[in-house]
RNA sequence: GGCGGGGUAGCUCAGCGGUAGAGCAGGAGAUUCAUAAGCUCUUGGCCGUCGGUUCGAUUCCGACCCCCGCUACCA
């Protein structure tokens, strides 16, 4: 079985995760589920980036030790991913011993290769912020946050010779045109590389939080340098060569538009320097805003994922984000939009389709799937619609175009609703001479619902399983897109228990 | 300043050389298996502005105007 390694960004655990974080994990999860359904052995990763000096700072402000703080925050993240049904295989914390070891080994490898050297890092440093500011960020020569005069400080740091890799990076982009998706992001990356790359500092002096530099324990590794290495750590780098051979290079890094510089430039160069292969693809997604405004906890703008789950459920949130927001671009979360898509698309179109189907099976056939007779034009049309859906939904998920995929799927869902109206099974029930015709309609209708559920499974796995259950089938798993795709997966004579509406009206 | 993205129906967007499309919202109708759901029909757009190329441009080219992102620099 082919392996497929998908990573998501590891998040800074210095505040609670919001919808933006959720968007990325949900997209990556939908893709991971899609790949599994297509028969791949998938490894999906996520985690938290705990070595940041910001984390240490936030901890101190909360009157806690960094260690205490991250131990509290970490479960908040994987807890949310669990409640969103993110099917991650591993959740990494960058304070884990295996990652500390891997980072040090990686640093050492790059150093041994001659690409890390000692240099001077200097700039305007605000003592209140504990941060360096580049000249243009200063306001009248003062710290933009505290308004106080910063001090000119310099410290010895270790630098990574990024500038050496300019040509090799350009070459890599040239040879791998799909390295960065979507294309307009690739163009941004290339633009930046062509402007010329500068070496960057990969260590910080005088800090007590972080991973010690292997060749100099007075310094810690710069947080981005160690954070990126998490992808290799998870693949076994530094402790399990067999595992590394199986999973490295990663097939795709899923990241937000704010961090492509690190993933598309720094990271490949770091890997070249460490003698590791470069991941095959980097998929860059956009951001979610709240009704046109940036989400901001302090300003009270936005909504907590847990609240949405509490009101609507997990799958409605997953569906809404995947359907509403084009993954590669920015999009907007609005309570009205969520409510509309929930009721119109999930409830009325899909949920009601299931409900009317199992209801008629119960009323007219005692909840037992009948044997279908010969097709008429109506059945042929329905199957054409199904085939079209399979093609375009498969294609859409494969290209990270979730919104398009779901949009195409709903074309089929509507076709199935139209099938009921066109064939009018409820008018046939009282006429014994029409029994075979009714059997045919009910069977094909159920089959249409089953196909829709299977197609929707990457996006709304729990709901798809519920639909399967109402049709008397066991949960969807394994390479179901390969082995259950054919029309006729339902066995005549089996019982269709039905059940409560899966997307009940709210409010 | 440079690079990139966007500007199409009230809303969210698709189309990207050949008589303007979808979903939602609004209006009307025929139905009843179903979560007052589904189905059918329908109102609604000088396709950001101004020029150009073309038999023909929302679609190509040029200039410009707004919104967003990245990046550089001046001060």
């Amino acid at each position: 079985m082919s392996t497929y390694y998908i990573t998501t960004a590891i998040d800074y655990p210095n505040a609670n995760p919001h919808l933006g974080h959720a968007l990325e994990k949900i997209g990556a999860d939908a893709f991971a589920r899609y790949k599994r359904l297509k028969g791949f052995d998938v490894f999906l990763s996520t985690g938290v980036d705990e070595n940041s000096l910001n984390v240490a700072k936030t901890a101190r402000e909360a009157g806690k030790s960094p260690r205490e703080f991250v131990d509290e925050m970490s479960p908040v993240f994987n807890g949310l991913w669990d409640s969103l049904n993110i099917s991650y295989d591993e959740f990494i914390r960058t304070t884990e011993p295996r990652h500390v070891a891997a980072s040090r080994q990686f640093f050492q490898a790059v150093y041994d290769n001659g690409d890390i050297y000692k240099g001077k890092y200097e700039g305007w440093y605000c003592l209140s912020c504990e941060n360096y500011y580049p000249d243009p960020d200063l306001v009248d020569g003062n710290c933009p946050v505290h308004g106080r005069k910063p001090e000119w400080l310099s410290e010895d740091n270790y630098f990574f010779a990024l500038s050496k890799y300019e040509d090799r990076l350009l070459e890599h982009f040239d040879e791998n045109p799909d390295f960065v998706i979507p294309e307009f992001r690739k163009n941004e990356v290339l633009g930046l590389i062509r402007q010329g790359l500068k070496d960057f500092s990969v260590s910080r002096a005088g800090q007590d939080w972080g991973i010690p530099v292997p060749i100099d324990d007075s310094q810690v590794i710069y947080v981005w340098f160690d954070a990126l290495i998490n992808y290799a750590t998870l693949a076994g780098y530094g402790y399990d060569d067999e595992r590394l051979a199986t999973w490295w290079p990663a097939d795709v890094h899923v990241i937000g538009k704010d961090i492509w510089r690190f993933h598309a430039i720094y990271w490949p160069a770091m890997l070249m320097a460490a003698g590791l292969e470069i991941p095959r693809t980097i998929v860059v997604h956009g951001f979610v805003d709240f009704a046109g405004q940036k989400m901001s906890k302090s300003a009270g703008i936005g909504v907590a994922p847990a609240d949405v789950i509490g009101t609507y459920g997990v799958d409605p949130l997953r569906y809404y984000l995947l359907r509403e927001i084009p993954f590669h671009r920015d999009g907007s979360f609005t309570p009205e939009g969520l409510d509309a898509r929930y009721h119109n698309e999930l409830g009325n179109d899909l949920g009601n389709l299931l409900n009317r189907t199992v209801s008629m099976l119960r009323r007219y056939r005692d909840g037992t799937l009948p044997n279908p007779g010969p097709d008429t034009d109506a059945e042929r049309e329905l199957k054409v619609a199904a085939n079209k859906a399979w093609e375009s939904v498969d294609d859409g998920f494969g290209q990270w175009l979730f919104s398009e995929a779901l949009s195409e799927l709903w074309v089929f869902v509507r076709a199935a609703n139209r099938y009921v109206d066109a064939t009018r099974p409820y008018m046939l029930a009282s006429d014994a001479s029409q029994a075979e015709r009714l059997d045919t309609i009910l069977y094909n209708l159920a089959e249409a619902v089953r196909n829709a559920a299977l197609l929707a499974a990457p996006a709304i796995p729990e709901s798809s399983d519920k639909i399967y259950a109402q049709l008397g089938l066991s949960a969807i798993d394994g390479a179901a897109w390969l082995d259950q795709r054919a029309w006729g997966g339902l066995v005549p004579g089996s019982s269709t228990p039905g059940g409560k509406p899966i997307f009940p009206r709210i409010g």
Side-chain angles (χ1 to χ4, degrees):
Chain A
M1 185 158 36
S2 308
T3 58
Y4 203 91
Y5 177 22
I6 304 167
T7 73
T8 64
I10 53 175
D11 303 299
Y12 276 137
N14 50 358
N16 288 330
H18 54 67
L19 279 176
H21 297 102
L23 174 78
E24 171 173 304
K25 308 314 179 213
I26 290 170
D29 180 66
F31 192 81
R33 288 175 185 275
Y34 160 76
K35 279 288 178 184
R36 290 194 195 98
L37 288 166
K38 297 265 286 184
F40 286 83
D41 183 9
V42 171
F43 183 75
L44 176 66
S45 80
T46 187
V48 281
D49 182 8
E50 302 186 316
N51 295 314
S52 155
L53 296 178
N54 261 326
V55 168
K57 186 161 160 263
T58 309
R60 276 196 292 275
E61 283 164 8
K64 289 172 180 152
S65 75
R67 167 57 64 184
E68 264 182 303
F69 184 74
V70 296
D71 283 348
E72 276 173 28
M73 286 305 288
S74 175
V76 174
F77 281 78
N78 66 48
L80 179 61
W81 307 149
D82 288 339
S83 69
L84 283 170
N85 277 333
I86 307 301
S87 58
Y88 61 88
D89 296 284
E90 279 210 44
F91 182 91
I92 191 172
R93 297 179 57 182
T94 55
T95 49
E96 286 174 43
R98 62 172 173 168
H99 179 68
V100 171
S103 298
R104 287 165 61 86
Q105 183 178 327
F106 194 105
F107 192 104
Q108 185 75 51
V110 178
Y111 180 79
D112 292 344
N113 194 42
D115 289 324
I116 285 178
Y117 62 91
K118 203 161 191 177
K120 216 176 251 308
Y121 189 86
E122 52 186 12
W124 293 106
Y125 187 82
C126 170
L127 287 174
S128 300
C129 300
E130 299 181 65
N131 197 13
Y132 282 96
Y133 285 101
D135 244 19
D137 288 0
L138 297 176
V139 180
D140 297 328
N142 289 322
C143 164
V145 178
H146 296 88
R148 62 177 286 175
K149 183 86 183 155
E151 296 181 29
W152 184 261
L153 285 189
S154 67
E155 64 180 49
D156 285 335
N157 276 159
Y158 292 92
F159 281 78
F160 171 60
L162 179 65
S163 55
K164 271 175 63 175
Y165 288 92
E166 221 170 282
D167 290 340
R168 282 181 65 185
L169 282 171
L170 288 172
E171 203 177 299
H172 184 79
F173 273 86
D174 205 44
E175 288 164 2
N176 302 277
D178 293 329
F179 180 49
V180 172
I181 296 171
E183 196 166 4
F184 71 87
R185 291 295 173 204
K186 179 173 95 173
N187 293 337
E188 287 186 353
V189 178
L190 286 172
L192 193 68
I193 298 175
R194 290 192 183 113
Q195 282 181 27
L197 299 175
K198 285 186 210 143
D199 296 351
F200 67 97
S201 164
V202 293
S203 71
R204 293 289 183 272
Q207 299 293 340
D208 57 358
W209 182 250
I211 300 174
V213 168
I215 51 171
D216 180 349
D217 59 14
S218 74
Q219 306 228 0
V220 296
I221 299 176
Y222 171 53
V223 66
W224 263 108
F225 195 85
D226 100 66
L228 289 162
I229 295 167
N230 94 82
Y231 305 128
T233 304
L234 283 161
Y237 179 77
Y239 60 95
D240 189 337
D241 288 344
E242 198 182 322
R243 176 166 164 154
L244 190 67
T246 303
W247 295 105
W248 198 258
D251 290 279
V252 54
H253 289 321
V254 185
I255 58 164
K257 65 177 185 177
D258 55 333
I259 55 175
W260 58 252
R261 174 206 303 259
F262 301 101
H263 287 79
I265 298 177
Y266 291 18
W267 180 227
M270 285 165 59
L271 288 164
M272 288 173 184
L276 285 169
E277 278 188 75
I278 295 168
R280 301 192 203 288
T281 318
I282 296 169
V283 171
V284 186
H285 68 255
F287 281 176
V288 201
D289 62 45
F290 185 81
Q293 291 180 284
K294 257 196 166 161
M295 274 188 265
S296 158
K297 274 197 125 141
S298 51
I301 298 163
V303 59
D307 291 346
V308 178
I309 296 172
T311 306
Y312 291 92
V314 179
D315 282 350
L317 175 58
R318 293 173 58 108
Y319 176 80
Y320 174 68
L321 290 175
L322 293 172
R323 175 67 185 86
E324 182 77 18
I325 297 164
F327 200 62
H328 300 314
R329 298 178 189 286
D330 292 351
S332 200
F333 177 101
T334 66
E336 299 76 19
L338 169 65
D339 195 70
R341 289 208 188 271
Y342 175 79
H343 284 106
N344 293 330
E345 294 169 18
L346 292 177
N348 298 349
D349 291 340
L350 180 60
N352 184 53
L353 175 67
L354 168 68
N355 208 38
R356 68 201 302 206
T357 300
V358 293
S359 165
M360 285 189 281
L361 280 164
R362 173 173 41 76
R363 289 171 88 109
Y364 308 141
R365 291 295 180 264
D366 292 321
T368 300
L369 261 179
N371 236 315
D375 285 355
T376 67
D377 282 348
E379 285 72 37
R380 283 186 279 271
E381 271 175 42
L382 185 64
K383 290 178 187 179
V384 167
N387 278 329
K388 191 149 177 283
W390 271 106
E391 210 169 295
S392 40
V393 172
D394 189 351
D395 200 48
F397 275 116
Q399 293 184 67
W400 299 83
L401 302 174
F402 306 121
S403 182
E404 286 83 346
L406 292 170
S407 169
E408 288 297 326
L409 172 51
W410 253 251
V411 169
F412 173 58
V413 170
R414 285 190 210 100
N417 272 314
R418 226 176 294 126
Y419 174 70
V420 179
D421 284 75
T423 57
R424 299 164 63 89
Y426 40 82
M427 299 304 281
L428 273 33
S430 54
D431 184 348
S433 73
Q434 294 286 344
E436 190 189 44
R437 181 64 195 136
L438 180 58
D439 286 350
T440 303
I441 294 166
L442 292 178
Y443 181 86
N444 283 290
L445 179 57
E447 213 16 53
V449 177
R450 185 188 70 85
N451 271 263
L454 192 51
L455 280 161
I460 50 172
E462 199 176 287
S463 303
S464 287
D465 281 346
K466 282 185 188 167
I467 294 173
Y468 256 50
Q470 293 210 13
L471 293 173
L473 297 165
S474 53
I476 298 167
D477 67 354
W481 271 32
L482 302 179
D483 60 38
Q484 297 177 28
R485 171 177 173 162
W487 197 269
L490 286 164
V491 181
S494 63
S495 85
T496 55
K500 286 198 158 61
I502 57 172
F503 301 112
R505 294 194 72 78
I506 292 169

